[in-house]
Amino acid sequence: MQLQMSVQREDSSMDGCTDAVARAWSAEEFGAAAGEWQRLLTEHLREVMAGRTKVLNWSDPQQSAQAAAAWLEHPLAAGPDGVAGGMRQLLQQMLSAGQNLHHPHYIGHQVPASSPLAGLLDGAAAITNQVMAVYEMGPWATAVEQALVSRLCGLTGWDPSTSSGILTHGGSLANLTALLTARNVVLPQSWRDGVPAGTTMVANADVHYCITRAAGILGLGAAAVQKVPLDARRRMDVQRLDDVLIELRRGNRPVIAVSACAGATPTGAIDDLSAVADVCRRHEVWMHVDAAHGGSLLFSRRYRDRLKGIAAADSVVWDAHKMLFVPALCTAVLYRRREVRFETFQQDAPYLFDPSAPGMADIDVGMRTVECTKRATGFGLWGLWALFGAELFEQLVDRMLQLTMRFRELLNSEADFEALHEPECNILAFRHLPAEVRLLSLAEQNRFQRELRTQLIREGSFYIVQTTLDGMAALRATVINPLTTEQDLRDLLTAVRQCGQRVWNL
Amino acid sequence: MQLQMSVQREDSSMDGCTDAVARAWSAEEFGAAAGEWQRLLTEHLREVMAGRTKVLNWSDPQQSAQAAAAWLEHPLAAGPDGVAGGMRQLLQQMLSAGQNLHHPHYIGHQVPASSPLAGLLDGAAAITNQVMAVYEMGPWATAVEQALVSRLCGLTGWDPSTSSGILTHGGSLANLTALLTARNVVLPQSWRDGVPAGTTMVANADVHYCITRAAGILGLGAAAVQKVPLDARRRMDVQRLDDVLIELRRGNRPVIAVSACAGATPTGAIDDLSAVADVCRRHEVWMHVDAAHGGSLLFSRRYRDRLKGIAAADSVVWDAHKMLFVPALCTAVLYRRREVRFETFQQDAPYLFDPSAPGMADIDVGMRTVECTKRATGFGLWGLWALFGAELFEQLVDRMLQLTMRFRELLNSEADFEALHEPECNILAFRHLPAEVRLLSLAEQNRFQRELRTQLIREGSFYIVQTTLDGMAALRATVINPLTTEQDLRDLLTAVRQCGQRVWNL
C-alpha cells in the first residue's frame, strides 16, 4: 500500500499548493541551496580560522536593523537566481555581518569557538525539526539526551541509576529550573499556594546575575538573596556562610538553597565545594552548584580536583556550550537524587501526556523542564563525543587552562599590564596601565580601560570583554578557542598597547 | 600586519594542539563532512516528503537510550572513514530513528513540517555560533530580531515605534516572560520584595498548562489561577470573566493579568478578544493573549478577523515555529507599550553591560529575556520571509485552515467518525466510533481511542495525537504540513478504521 501511495504522490504531491509553497518544501531546491550553503560556510570558516578577516565587523545597531528589515521587502526566490541564489545572498549577508568567534583573536565571552562539526548535527536537527516534550516526538533526541545526562551525572560523581537530569536552553534557565525544584522540595506547598514571606536564598557574592534573577522570578524577591562575602581568592567565605545560615535559622527564615560557584563569571573563581558541602550538610540546606562554566573541568584528570566536593551537591548546572565547545545553547540540570525530578512542576496536559502510559513520564522531558516543546539541544555534544571521544574534552580543558596561566605570566612580565587574579580557570581579568595612566584617579583609569576596549573591538583586530571588580574596571579575556596560540596573546598585548596610545592621544 | 600574521599562521596554526583538536576545528574536515551532510539530508527529505518511509520509527525508549550511549564508546573519527565517514554514520543513525515530520502523513502536534530552507539558516547560525545577549556578540542576529519584532508588532496592530518585544525559546518561556512583566508592572515591589499573598491571575479554562505553571513559578501558586468557564464554542465566557474580576476586586485580591487564548491548545478555539479587551479595560487589568498558535492568522486577509481585538492586549505571545513553519524554537513576546520592556528584570552585570554605553540597553536583548546567552532564533523566519515574502505565510495559513475544514466535512460524512467541534484553526479533535464501540461505556470508549492511536502511530503509517475534552478521550489532528493533501486525510480515515478493527479484535 505504501508503494502504491508513493506512486500516486509523484503525480499529485503539493496538489493545490502555490508556487512559493511548493518551492519552499522541495527536496531538490533544498539540495541546491544546501550545496551553496556548504561551499560558503567552508570558505568562510577557512578565512576566519586563518585570521584573514576582522574578528567583529562593527556596525551601527540602528542601521543594521534597517538593513535586516530591507531584506524582507522583495522575495529573493522570485529573482533570476531562484532559491539557491537567494540562499547564497542571505548567507553572504549573515556571514559578513556577524561575530567571527572562530577567529584566533576571539578571546572574549564564555561562548566558545565551537567545533563547526557539532553545528552540523544541530543543523540536521533543525532541518528535520526534531523536537522534544514527549518521547514519540523526538525518540532519538530523547535517547541522546538520556545517554548524555547519564554520563554527566557519572562525571559529577553520582550513580547514574539514582541521579537524573535534563538538558535545557542555557545556564540562566537551568539555574532557574534547579532553584525552582529546590524551592518546591524545601517548601512543598509553594507550588500550589505561593511562596511564604521571608523565604530566602544564599549565594556567593560573585554569583551570576541569573541567580538573583531567579529569586525575583520565583517570588522570593531579589532582595531575599543573602550574599556571602568572598575570601581573598574571590571564593565564598565558608565561615561567613555558616554565620549567614545561623542567622537565618535564628530568624526562622526558610532557605531554599545555597548557591555556590564553579567558576564565578567575573574571574572564574571556584568555591571550595567540599567546605561548602560540610556547612550545607550541617544546616541541612539544599546545595546548588552553578558549574555552568567550570563543570567541564571534570573531564580533566589534571584539573578535576578543583571541583572536589561537587558530588555532595543536590543540584548542578553545567553548560556544554562553554568549555565542551558545542554551539549555544546546551545546558544540563543535574540532580543527585532522581526522585526530586518531578518536584519542579505538577501539571495536567492530556494532549501531551497519555494517561494510559504513566510509565512514559520518566522518558518524556516535558514534565521536567520549563519549555513544553524543546529543541533537541544534545546532538552537537553527542556528535563531538562520538567522533573524538571524551579525551577531546580533556584535551580542550587542559589546553585552555594552560594557555590562560601562560597569559598571566606574559602580563606579569610587562610593566604596563596587571593581572587582577590568579586564574583558576580559563578566565583572566587584567588592566593596561601605562605610566601616564597610573597617575590618574581610579575613575579615570576605569574610563581608560573601557574606552580602550571599545576602540579595540571596533577596530576589529581582537575581541575581548570588560568587567568591574570591586569598582575597578578591567579588561577580561576568556581563552575559549583552540585556534588561539601563545603568539596571539603576545599580539593582543601589542594591540592593546597601540590602542591605548590612540585613546590616550584622543 | 594582518597579512603577515596570516602567513605566520599557515605554519604555526593549531600549534601544540592534539590531533583530535586539530581535526575537530579544521575547515577542510568540516567541508568534507558538510558535503556528506548535504547529500544525506537531501536524499532523506526526498524519501520522507514522498511518503516512502514510515512517519515515526517507533523504538523502545530504554533500548534507544542504550544505543545512543553506545556511540560514545569508540571515537569514530579514528576509524578508517575519518571525520566525514563518522559524520555520515551519525547522521544515518539520527535520520533513521527520528520523527519524520516532513512525511505527508504527519498530522500530529503543533510542530510543523517546517521549510527545510529555514533550517539551513539556523544551521549556519549554529556552526558559526552566533549568539545574543549584548549587541556586539551577535550584531546581525540582533538586527534580524529587531526587524522581525517590528514587523510582528505591526501585524498585531501596533505602532512599531511605541511597541516592542523579543524572541525567545518557545511559548512556555515566552508566556512566563510576559506574565512576569505583567506581575512586575502591576505589583512593582514584587521583584525586590516577593509576591504578596493573595495575588491572582485569571485565565481561560482551556489555557495551556504553561500558564498555570507560570503562576506556580512566579510565586503566586498554581491554585491562584482563576479559571474562567468556557462558552459553547470553548471560548472564555466573557460574562463569567466579568463576574470573576468583580469577585476578586471585592476580595481586594490583586490580578496580575487576564490570559486569553488564540487559539487554545485542545481545539484551537479563539477567544472573542474584543469582548475580553472591553472587560479588561473596564477593570483596568493587564490583558495577555497566548497567541502562540493563532498569531499567524494575522498574516491572512481571510482569517485575521478571528483575532479582532488583539491590538488592545498589553502582551502577546506568538510562536513562529507553529504556523509560520520555521524549525522550533522561535517565539515572540510582544508588548503594546515599549516602556514596560525593562520591567521584566532589574539587574547588574558589569561583564556584559557596559556602563559607559547605557543607550545600548535598548539593543542588548539580555536585559529583557530569561536567557543570558541566547541562540539567534530569528534567522529561519527572516530567511523564509526574505526568500518568499509575507505572502508565503498567508498562503500557508489559508491552506491549513481550509484543509482542516475539509477534514471536518469528511468526518461528518462518515457514520463511524465524529468531529468534536467546528475548527476555528487548523486543529480538530475527533473520535472513531464504529457501531460496536458506540454501545460501550464512556470509559471503554476512551480506552478504545487511546489504544487505537497508540497502535496507529507505532505501526507508522500516520502520526496523530490524542487529547481529553471534558473527560472524553479524543483523537486530535493538527494540519501543519503543506505536503498533506485531502487524499491523505481520506487515507487517514481508512487507516484509523483498519487500526480500530485490529484493536477491537485484540
Side-chain angles (χ1 to χ4, degrees), chain A residues 5 9 18 37-38 73 99 105 113 120 130 136 151 183 191 213 216 222 347 366 369 395 463 488, chain B residues 5 9 18 25 31 37 73 99 105 120 130 135-136 151 183 191 213 216 222 347 366 369 395 463 488:
Chain A
M5 278 168 49
R9 190 160 293 277
T18 62
W37 182 96
Q38 183 258 359
E73 295 299 332
Q99 251 282 11
H105 291 181
L120 281 177
Q130 300 302 298
E136 62 188 50
R151 293 299 185 101
R183 193 199 76 183
W191 178 262
R213 268 193 182 184
Q347 86 285 305
T369 179
Q395 290 159 12
Y463 184 81
D488 292 315
Chain B
M5 279 167 48
R9 190 159 292 278
T18 62
W25 272 264
W37 183 96
E73 295 299 333
Q99 251 282 8
H105 291 182
L120 280 177
Q130 300 302 299
Y135 174 69
E136 62 188 51
R151 292 299 185 101
R183 193 199 78 183
W191 179 261
R213 269 194 182 184
Q347 88 284 306
T369 181
Q395 290 158 14
Y463 184 80
D488 292 315

Side-chain angles (χ1 to χ4, degrees), chain B residues 260-273:
Chain B
C261 287
T265 310
T267 63
I270 298 171
D271 286 340
D272 181 342
L273 300 178

Side-chain angles (χ1 to χ4, degrees), chain A residues 44-121:
Chain A
H44 174 76
L45 287 171
R46 191 182 290 126
E47 293 298 300
V48 170
M49 286 176 166
R52 286 193 288 263
T53 65
K54 286 190 173 184
V55 188
L56 170 64
N57 295 292
W58 178 263
S59 56
D60 174 74
Q62 306 300 349
Q63 282 175 9
S64 295
Q66 283 165 19
W71 287 94
L72 306 180
E73 295 299 332
H74 305 290
L76 290 173
D81 296 338
V83 172
M87 181 61 70
R88 185 179 59 242
Q89 290 181 63
L90 293 175
L91 282 167
Q92 283 169 336
Q93 166 68 74
M94 182 177 157
L95 297 173
S96 68
Q99 251 282 11
N100 291 324
L101 283 83
H102 294 83
H103 192 297
H105 291 181
Y106 170 85
I107 316 164
H109 285 291
Q110 291 159 272
V111 177
S114 55
S115 167
L117 296 166
L120 281 177
L121 288 152

Side-chain angles (χ1 to χ4, degrees), chain B residues 21-39:
Chain B
V21 172
R23 292 170 85 194
W25 272 264
S26 151
E28 311 315 317
E29 295 277 15
F30 169 82
E36 289 287 330
W37 183 96
Q38 183 259 359
R39 270 200 322 105

Side-chain angles (χ1 to χ4, degrees), chain B residues 270 294-300 303-304 306-307 323 397 401 425:
Chain B
I270 298 171
S296 302
L297 268 60
L298 293 169
F299 275 97
S300 162
Y303 296 111
R304 69 167 65 123
R306 296 189 178 187
L307 297 182
M323 260 201 288
V397 166
L401 267 65
C425 216

